[in-house]
Amino acid sequence: MSSNKALQSELPWWKRTTVYQIYPRSFSDQTGDGIGDLPGIIDRLDYVKWLGVETIWLSPFFSSPQADFGYDISDHFTIAPEYGSLEDCRCLIDEIHARGMKVVFDMVLNHTSDQHPWFLESRSSRDNAYRDFYLWRDGRKPYGAAPPNNWRSMLGGSGWQYDAETDQWYWASFLPFQPDLNYRNPEVKRAMLEMVRHWLGEGVDGLRLDIFNAIYKDASFSDNPRSLRAIPSEDNPGGFFQRALHTQNHPDTLAFARELRGVVDEFDQPSRFIVGEVFGSADLLREYCGPTGEGLNLVFLFKSLRTPFRARALRKLIGEFEAAFPEPLHPTYVFGNHDRPRQMERLGNDLARARLLAALQMTVRGVPFIYYGDELGLSHHPMPLETARDPLSERFRFIPKVLLPALRKRGILTNRDECRSPMPWHGGPHAGFAPPDAAEPWLPLHPQSAFMNVAAQREDPASVLASYRRMLRLRNRSLALSAGELALLDPPADSSKVLSYRRVYEDTDRHEAADVFLNFSKTEVPIDLRHLPRGSEARLYSNLSDVPVEAYGRHVLRPWEGAVVLRDQTQ
Ligand code: GLC
């Protein structure tokens, strides 16, 4: 293993950080209208700090008709009234910083709402000054009655939407009310980059880039090649029987990643970062970052969503990610977010496995992203399609119900309400999500809220929450865990049971190592620690207990225990 070289003081903060994703609509409602809001989030910042997370990523709360709950923006500079005011937004940024924490905003650069003033202008006539802000084309075949080409949206079906008023079609990569912007128009690019600068200037520390892989479409508007793939996957975003050659991961989008990074790097003290929601093979995703990290700082790696929670499968995945994202690149494992089945579903709703996932997530190399509620072990919350609020569910109504669990196993969710339940804070009215006299929450409370809530788990050292907190604290105090290189170790026992790796951080001043042993079985597994170098302090920490023990001799891993031996060999 080579040394990390960079001095601790030279390490960018975002490489060592930990991120907690808040879906603002579902986190905390202070005003009592049943919808979470920014003042509600401010009320709960002390909890996030207590948990031990440094950075908060907020899903969008800008002005929006909320047809896709904020991912359809009608004004990037103002706040949707149900979430609060600009003043609340500034206060939130300040309050986060006052606690020594960082904040990431969600930037939807690819498209706007169809209610954005640009689009209202654009669709008003063919010669409007904003017409070219979006992608308009004539239809083809007899009298323009068919879409301009065969391109499919990310959700299947043609992504072209017909506008009768001007007798042309506009392109939407996602839902019809989310028209794509035309980045080949320099005015569009300039305006969007100014918007990015605006929020960085307001003190935002990082940006999550929504469906960044769709930004540029091929200027030829040629048909996409046909393929045999029906269902898109995280490493092959084509599907619906075509390759997304001209609609996703265009070379111009890769170039734009570097241009955007240049803009973000205009801001320093502190430095900022961008993390992309992009889909493609590991090689392609690495290109987004650039060979030496001059593009997107991080990209989400969704393959972890589909990887079985087993020692061998995860070992293979770690090997792949390590090979594809060596230093100075940095992998970003995804275990859940506001679009995906709750992670507990893949864990068979087993709390012991959830405690082990906390150990894996906080010890593997890469920036951990924790989706709100996952730190409690909240289960997936199936909801009837008939009452769904998510616009996607309408689209997927035709899929027979019996197939939904299999799709969820692949990380695909057709009703995203199911992972957006109000955060359960305590067992009282509205689970503490909203004041007792508030309107009904916008989505039904999670059925486990009465007992799987923050108040109950805070008191319980055996809770999933306690494991998350323990592992976060351990990671925060260890340079090896937060910034060290990773090497897979031969498992000390049956490789189907134990996953093991070593993290090493080294610079001219320090040498720290952490050996990680994760027991993916329901039986006890003895491990031999006598091979560890002697003569230095070594302590064994566990996801299951607060008190470290001396790490020498034989240790018996409990079922689903994650143990970390920390060694500081700084002379
Ligand atoms: C991203 C977001 C998702 C949103 C979509 C369109 O995938 O995560 O929530 O609906 O883009 O903006």
Side-chain angles (χ1 to χ4, degrees), residues 302-315:
F302 289 94
K303 194 169 182 185
S304 31
L305 278 176
R306 276 176 65 172
T307 307
F309 195 67
R310 291 201 287 267
R312 282 200 187 117
L314 285 161
R315 181 184 173 89

Side-chain angles (χ1 to χ4, degrees), residues 107 109 183 189 192-197 200 207-210 212 215 252-267 272-276 294-297:
M107 289 284 118
L109 302 180
Y183 277 79
K189 192 153 90 174
M192 294 306 279
L193 291 180
E194 274 319 297
M195 188 273 291
V196 164
R197 286 190 178 95
L200 293 173
L207 306 173
R208 177 262 184 188
L209 308 171
D210 189 69
F212 189 77
I215 296 268
D252 295 341
T253 306
L254 292 164
F256 184 56
R258 287 189 287 277
E259 187 175 345
L260 184 60
R261 173 66 180 272
V263 170
V264 171
D265 284 350
E266 290 167 16
F267 295 80
R272 319 295 164 98
F273 81 102
I274 36 182
V275 51
E294 64 275 28
L296 306 183
N297 304 68

